[in-house]
Amino acid sequence: MPTGPAPVRELDAATIAELTEAARRILRETRPGTPADAVSGASRPPARSGEPGTGTDGPGSGTDPVDRRVLDRVAREAARLSERTRHHCRPVDTADGLFVLRGLPLDDADIGPTPLSWATVGDQAAEWDVTLLLLATAMGNPIAWEGQQDGRFVHNIVPSPGHEHEQTGASSATLLSPHTEDAFHPGRAHLLMLACMRNHDRIATTAASVRKARLAADDVELLSRPTLPILPDDAYTEAQGFTGAAPPKVPALCQTPDGPTLRYDPAYTPLDDADPAYRAAYDRLSDELARVSVAVSLEPGDVLVVDNDLVVHGRVPFQARYDGTDRWLKRASVRVPDRRTRPEAEKAEHGYGQAAIEAYA
């Protein structure tokens, strides 16, 4: 797999100053106590589930995981961002389906050691939570999930002891298979944002764009049929226990006026239930995505923006040390209002009982 130069949008000094000053202003005005509590909703008690990707404090909690003051201030500051800054946040505009925002300053010592779990992050790197929310709001509408990381809008992705071999962001020793983020859900993000806090070992995020894949017309036709469901991944234990209607069958590919899009998560797709012709076409899609895949090694301060309708992403395996120096990313998910890149039939899906929370409904 080639180590690609992803398209880079270098932030100029004025843009960096504007974003930094806005984030600090929001923190000063909204937090009487710990900044991450205000930003990420850490007012809830730590999750009881042992799975680091999920979090719930049981039924009937009723605790609001989001401080509305922060989101309101973010919305006001984002609305005032300069045209120069908004130009950096313009939509993905190449077949790569992604870009890197580069130039935001990050001091390795200031952010503290890499936590062992998202639930123990506390107030670490709170300025980055706000900065990521500002960028996400400039690009669309940030979303959170009731069933993941206690409903936070900014997630922390760190390797966690005991989860090394799972297909979640808490893993390390196994290949995180290429996938569409939250592929099981019709309300999944249009954009995925990954901000690099620490990456001493230059661990690569893998990415492959369907716009670069070469597929035969027969395979495109077959994969555009709603043949198999995509089941909830291990970051959603409540969704995995959903007992409502049957899992909806969904197409792997969709044809739009701008080109093909995809919905892809082979680790959670019951491919054995399909006929040999469909499995062969799916295998050829997987082979093509592997052929065009690149490995992007993020630097501290980089923000990788991935079009979740065009690009599947993953991560190479690595050996976690659990000594405070491991890889640490922050993640935000964004919906783009009125975007038409998905089949109309998705609107009827049940989403396995999972609800997305929009920052700005």
Side-chain angles (χ1 to χ4, degrees):
M1 179 188 306
T3 300
V8 173
R9 299 181 183 177
E10 288 279 356
L11 299 177
D12 56 276
T15 296
I16 293 167
E18 182 177 38
L19 289 168
T20 302
E21 290 165 9
R24 290 174 180 171
R25 194 159 49 241
I26 292 168
L27 285 176
R28 284 196 306 269
E29 295 175 3
T30 59
R31 61 158 197 184
T34 56
D37 284 357
V39 176
S40 300
S43 55
R44 287 189 175 190
R48 292 173 185 161
S49 167
E51 199 327 270
T54 54
T56 177
D57 19 350
S61 164
T63 304
D64 184 356
V66 177
D67 189 326
R68 177 53 56 180
R69 297 170 305 159
V70 175
L71 292 178
D72 289 347
R73 288 293 289 114
V74 166
R76 288 200 295 273
E77 292 286 352
R80 292 200 291 258
L81 290 174
S82 65
E83 286 303 314
R84 177 187 57 251
T85 297
R86 291 187 172 281
H87 182 68
H88 289 300
C89 296
R90 68 192 183 276
V92 170
D93 52 10
T94 70
D96 300 275
L98 53 80
F99 60 85
V100 174
L101 290 174
R102 179 163 292 164
L104 289 168
L106 187 147
D107 188 308
D108 189 75
D110 282 350
I111 63 173
T114 301
L116 293 179
S117 164
W118 67 264
T120 62
V121 172
D123 62 356
Q124 286 182 258
E127 186 176 314
W128 272 91
D129 290 2
V130 181
T131 301
L132 203 52
L133 279 176
L134 279 167
L135 291 168
T137 304
M139 295 181 194
N141 193 352
I143 62 171
W145 296 94
E146 289 182 351
Q148 196 175 35
Q149 295 205 13
D150 281 353
R152 289 161 167 79
F153 282 89
V154 176
H155 293 175
N156 286 276
I157 310 301
V158 295
S160 296
H163 302 273
E164 290 84 354
H165 297 280
E166 297 174 349
Q167 283 296 307
T168 69
S171 69
S172 52
T174 193
L175 174 74
L176 186 60
S177 300
H179 62 283
T180 300
E181 186 76 0
D182 299 322
F184 74 96
H185 202 283
R188 63 195 178 277
H190 294 107
L191 301 176
L192 178 69
M193 304 177 69
L194 298 173
C196 179
M197 301 292 98
R198 178 172 289 125
N199 193 14
H200 292 172
D201 304 305
R202 298 191 60 78
I203 296 156
T205 299
T206 62
S209 171
V210 69
R211 298 280 169 89
K212 292 192 166 185
R214 295 196 295 262
L215 296 168
D218 287 349
D219 286 348
V220 171
E221 195 277 330
L222 198 55
L223 294 170
S224 298
R225 299 177 189 172
T227 301
L228 294 172
I230 300 177
L231 304 176
D233 63 58
D234 289 341
Y236 293 91
T237 52
E238 290 181 2
Q240 289 179 333
F242 180 71
T243 57
K249 295 178 180 180
V250 302
L253 295 178
C254 176
Q255 303 307 308
T256 76
D258 294 328
T261 62
L262 82 169
R263 186 176 181 182
Y264 175 90
D265 195 347
Y268 294 95
T269 299
L271 291 165
D272 289 344
D273 294 346
D275 61 36
Y278 185 91
R279 291 200 304 270
Y282 199 98
D283 286 345
R284 287 190 287 271
L285 170 62
S286 299
D287 289 344
E288 269 300 288
L289 292 173
R291 182 184 68 80
V292 302
S293 183
V294 296
V296 182
S297 293
L298 296 175
E299 302 173 5
D302 283 352
V303 179
L304 175 64
V305 180
V306 173
D307 189 315
N308 199 39
D309 287 331
L310 305 187
V311 172
V312 294
H313 71 283
R315 189 216 61 238
V316 301
F318 66 99
Q319 181 65 50
R321 293 180 292 270
Y322 306 126
D323 63 354
T325 66
D326 284 322
R327 176 181 183 261
W328 176 12
L329 305 180
K330 287 183 179 284
R331 178 177 67 199
S333 298
V334 184
R335 285 183 185 163
V336 180
D338 301 322
R339 199 179 195 209
R340 300 185 183 278
T341 51
R342 297 173 182 173
E344 190 71 16
E346 287 194 11
K347 294 179 180 178
E349 294 179 24
H350 52 61
Y352 300 87
Q354 291 300 290
I357 307 164
E358 292 191 353
Y360 314 110

